[in-house]
Amino acid sequence: MNWCDHKLSRLPFEPPGSGMDRSGPILTLDKVSKYYEAQNGGELLAVKEVSLGVRDREFICILGPTASGKSTLLKMMGGIEKPTLGTMSLRGEIFEDGIPANKLRNFGFVFQQDNLLPWRTVVKNLRLPLEVFHSAGHGSADRIAEMLTLVGLQDYGDVYPHELSGGMRQRVSLARAMVHDPDILLMDQPLGALDAITRRMLSHELLRISRATRKVMVMVTNNIDEALLLGDRILVLTALPGEIAFEAANDIPAEARNEAIIENARYKALRALLDDIVHAQSEAGRTAGRTGGDGE
Amino acid sequence: MTTTTARQTPPVKGKPLKRKTEPICYIAPIILFVAVVAAWALFVSASGISRTILPSPFAIFREMSKNFVRDILPHLLFTLRVILTGYAVAVPLGILIAAVCSQYRIIIKATTPLIILLVVTPMITMVPLFMLWMGFDSKVRVIVVILQATPIICLNTLTGFTTTEGAKLELMRAMGATRLQTFVKLIFPNALPQVFTGLKLGCIFSTIAAMSADLAAGKEGLGYRIQQYSSLIMTEMAYGTILIVALIGIVLFQIVVMIERRVILWVR
Ligand SMILES: Nc1ncnc2c1ncn2[C@@H]1O[C@H](COP(=O)(O)OP(=O)(O)OP(=O)(O)O)[C@@H](O)[C@H]1O
Ligand SMILES: [Mg+2]
């Protein structure tokens, strides 16, 4: 514990935004909050005043205790939910009421469960975004094949989802989110439903894909190892209502992010630190839940 | 260095896994049928029951083969046309009504009890009323079939339309899909198993409804024939005609099952 506090005071992370500041943010959130209707008729504040700028080619990882509004935050970024308060902007264009439908071509969304349509083969699942965006013309077959090759499933195009393993399904889901060539890929615990071995394997594959495509990626995860392997910037949310508790750049160099990352001294230090912060947030959430009886 | 793209042998391309039906599945109903007929024949000859109550299956077969072409076939065709015409209208109508109703939660809530009411109303009770309004012709029978089959198709389809998984709806919303796109690409295909349940029940309801209409009125149709044979104490022919009606129901049902197998290739 002491050791970690000591680390904190020495600012172990690069402060965000320092270093290679390439350009203005692609996507910004300005004091975005989300209220849900609660079962008891009241309102539930799921995300509280989150401000965030997502820069080009950046990989952001969001950590946080369970039910801390991580999914809600990501869904607002991806236009699935509208923010109750606050504004968002995409390449400088400001939106008061969430990202409008006609801008969603810029986003790809990967869900925690693969969310494939069971009545469509793998190729037809990849066709879905192209159909919705009216770009399923010629060339789409090549694009789909390219995406399947990227995720290593080129031989499985004509197969139905139920014939695939969980890991393969999640790869299809990833390919589907990228098939219309979005700028920003939003992933809600994309590896959360997988077993530990598949999960580790796919996290390295995700790293390869992110380097190959150089897309902006925002990933929610409950796994610190994943965050340190993939994230250029790591955010930790507080327990409900989700606020940004901690934000820092990950300074483990790209060369060191490989299978041997666990041997890296910097990795070990950051891992211990993040572990502590996430733990503290979960703990804080739990005690708040116990003492603040009226909150529910 | 990782073996992430290690190939498993891919399944045969373009061949979705077929659920093979074992031969026993075809043989079992035949064996049961033979057993029932044998038991029936045995019971009739052992108990000496009057042929006006329960004729033997062989007597039924004998009478039927003698009179089928002349006395039954025209009525069979007539009834079949009524059933098929009514069904052909009921299927798109039921699905269309369900599609419209499913657009707003409030409409679903408002219409569901009404649809259930129509499902459980035996249309035979309405036939005299219809005749009062429309006079007497074969259109009345078709309308009876439509009124009996549409609600059950609609009810099942509506259930299918309203049980779309939330995450799948979010998937469509994440792409900014329009209402129509969401319906065509998600809600409708997702509901197909329930739609088929409705279509199968629709076959049965159509057949029953056509019989009701025949019984209530008219001088045509298998239902009319059954009534006539009973009053003439031609019990063998009455039973035989009832079996023909059952056969119509079974065949229509099986046709829909066959179509369902070709359409629904995924496992849920
Ligand atoms: N559609 C909704 N309607 C009402 N409340 C909701 C809705 N979606 C989420 N919530 C509530 O908002 C809070 C945050 O949920 P959210 O799914 O964003 O958390 P999360 O951090 O993603 O959790 P997890 O790690 O378990 O996925 C929870 O208390 C949840 O019950
Ligand atoms: Mg979540």
Side-chain angles (χ1 to χ4, degrees), chain A residues 122-123 126-127 130 138-157 171-172 174-182 205 208-209 212-215, chain B residues 5 7:
Chain A
V122 167
V123 162
L126 261 65
R127 258 185 103 78
L130 302 178
H138 53 246
S140 62
D142 291 341
R143 176 69 190 166
I144 289 167
E146 187 190 330
M147 283 300 109
L148 283 181
T149 310
L150 184 68
V151 297
L153 289 177
Q154 56 276 32
D155 296 332
Y156 289 83
R171 286 186 215 190
V172 176
L174 186 63
R176 179 178 64 185
M178 294 190 296
V179 74
H180 54 290
D181 200 18
E205 191 149 340
R208 175 180 68 76
I209 289 168
T213 61
R214 321 202 68 179
K215 289 192 190 306
Chain B
T5 44
R7 303 279 169 75

Side-chain angles (χ1 to χ4, degrees), chain A residues 61-227:
Chain A
C61 282
I62 300 174
L63 289 163
T66 184
S68 57
K70 304 185 294 294
S71 296
T72 306
L73 180 60
L74 208 65
K75 282 174 192 170
M76 287 193 286
M77 287 184 179
I80 297 174
E81 295 280 3
K82 288 184 191 309
T84 318
L85 298 169
T87 59
M88 303 175 68
S89 67
L90 185 65
R91 297 190 189 285
E93 203 176 340
I94 296 172
F95 302 108
E96 301 284 346
D97 197 25
I99 307 286
N102 63 357
K103 295 287 174 191
L104 294 180
R105 184 185 272 277
N106 292 294
F107 296 87
F109 205 103
V110 181
F111 295 82
Q112 175 160 1
Q113 302 295 331
D114 56 72
N115 221 358
L116 298 174
L117 303 185
W119 54 88
R120 285 182 174 234
T121 60
V122 167
V123 162
K124 291 209 174 121
N125 263 288
L126 261 65
R127 258 185 103 78
L128 179 71
L130 302 178
E131 289 170 10
V132 172
F133 295 124
H134 299 294
S135 48
H138 53 246
S140 62
D142 291 341
R143 176 69 190 166
I144 289 167
E146 187 190 330
M147 283 300 109
L148 283 181
T149 310
L150 184 68
V151 297
L153 289 177
Q154 56 276 32
D155 296 332
Y156 289 83
D158 297 328
V159 155
Y160 282 90
H162 73 264
E163 298 169 71
L164 299 174
S165 72
M168 291 159 103
R169 280 205 290 271
Q170 205 49 277
R171 286 186 215 190
V172 176
S173 166
L174 186 63
R176 179 178 64 185
M178 294 190 296
V179 74
H180 54 290
D181 200 18
D183 303 324
I184 303 168
L185 200 58
L186 305 171
M187 298 179 279
D188 190 0
Q189 305 202 26
L191 313 178
L194 306 174
D195 63 90
I197 294 170
T198 314
R199 180 169 194 160
R200 225 173 69 82
M201 201 168 82
L202 269 190
S203 67
H204 283 274
E205 191 149 340
L206 208 50
L207 183 67
R208 175 180 68 76
I209 289 168
S210 109
R211 282 174 181 167
T213 61
R214 321 202 68 179
K215 289 192 190 306
V216 178
M217 300 206 179
V218 182
M219 178 171 92
V220 168
T221 176
N222 54 6
N223 185 306
I224 294 170
D225 300 307
E226 250 162 57

Side-chain angles (χ1 to χ4, degrees), chain B residues 252-266:
Chain B
L252 292 180
F253 190 92
Q254 285 303 325
I255 290 174
V256 178
V257 169
M258 262 159 55
I259 298 171
E260 183 182 20
R261 287 220 187 102
R262 313 231 72 199
V263 172
I264 298 178
L265 298 170
W266 65 95

Side-chain angles (χ1 to χ4, degrees), chain B residues 134-146:
Chain B
M134 282 173 287
F136 190 76
D137 75 86
S138 71
K139 273 193 217 119
V140 175
R141 299 163 197 248
V142 174
I143 288 168
V144 171
V145 172
I146 294 171

Side-chain angles (χ1 to χ4, degrees), chain B residues 170-199:
Chain B
E170 284 183 347
L171 168 71
M172 298 308 284
R173 227 180 311 149
M175 297 184 288
T178 61
R179 256 189 126 83
L180 182 66
Q181 284 175 328
T182 306
F183 184 79
V184 172
K185 297 187 190 302
L186 174 63
I187 294 173
F188 187 74
N190 183 65
L192 271 177
Q194 279 102 328
V195 172
F196 270 103
T197 305
L199 296 188

Side-chain angles (χ1 to χ4, degrees), chain A residues 36-85:
Chain A
Y36 281 121
E37 263 174 53
Q39 289 101 319
N40 57 16
E43 286 187 319
L44 180 127
L45 182 56
V47 171
K48 187 181 168 191
E49 296 188 348
V50 168
S51 296
L52 174 67
V54 183
R55 287 183 292 268
D56 199 12
R57 291 182 185 173
E58 192 175 32
F59 200 134
I60 295 182
C61 282
I62 300 174
L63 289 163
T66 184
S68 57
K70 304 185 294 294
S71 296
T72 306
L73 180 60
L74 208 65
K75 282 174 192 170
M76 287 193 286
M77 287 184 179
I80 297 174
E81 295 280 3
K82 288 184 191 309
T84 318
L85 298 169

